[in-house]
Amino acid sequence: MRVILDTNVLLSALISGHGAPDQIYGAWRAARFELVTSEMQLDEVRRASRYPKLKVVLQPHRVGAMINNMQRALVLTKLPPLPEEIAVDDPHDTFLAAAALLSSADYLVTGDRRAGLLRLGHIGRTWILTPSQFCGTAL
């Protein structure tokens, strides 16, 4: 099973050792699914982990370990533009949708209810779920 984890899910797993994001991160680390990521997401994790509000709660060595582990996942280097019929409300989430289409991922997991990815429900064959839904459905 191929899964894309939104950056907010990844960082949430590092912030709290409890809850669905941490359970998902642990399942990936235990090789229960194949993680799909991209160079753009690796850059986003690096950048977001330096935001002042996150810097105080994230341990740099854990962020570094996560990025190192993500580099061993299926890393997409060039993402295609999205077809016109797929509208993503937040332009910062376009790379997630493109990665879903390119990789034929089974799931895209996001905790961002404001951005509208969840509203889409799916992109191509990729189902879009919250962390709790993913834990209840796929893990």
Side-chain angles (χ1 to χ4, degrees), residues 55-71:
K55 210 172 174 180
V56 297
V57 294
L58 291 173
Q59 298 172 351
H61 71 278
R62 292 192 68 210
V63 175
M66 176 181 276
I67 290 169
N68 288 340
N69 288 324
M70 290 174 69
Q71 290 173 333

Side-chain angles (χ1 to χ4, degrees), residues 6 8 44 87-94 96-97 108 110-121 123 128:
D6 194 341
N8 62 58
E44 183 178 60
V88 176
D89 293 343
D90 183 349
H92 294 104
D93 287 338
T94 302
L96 294 169
L108 189 163
T110 181
D112 191 352
R113 296 180 184 275
R114 297 171 295 134
L117 285 174
L118 288 167
R119 181 182 45 78
L120 293 175
I123 297 171
I128 305 170

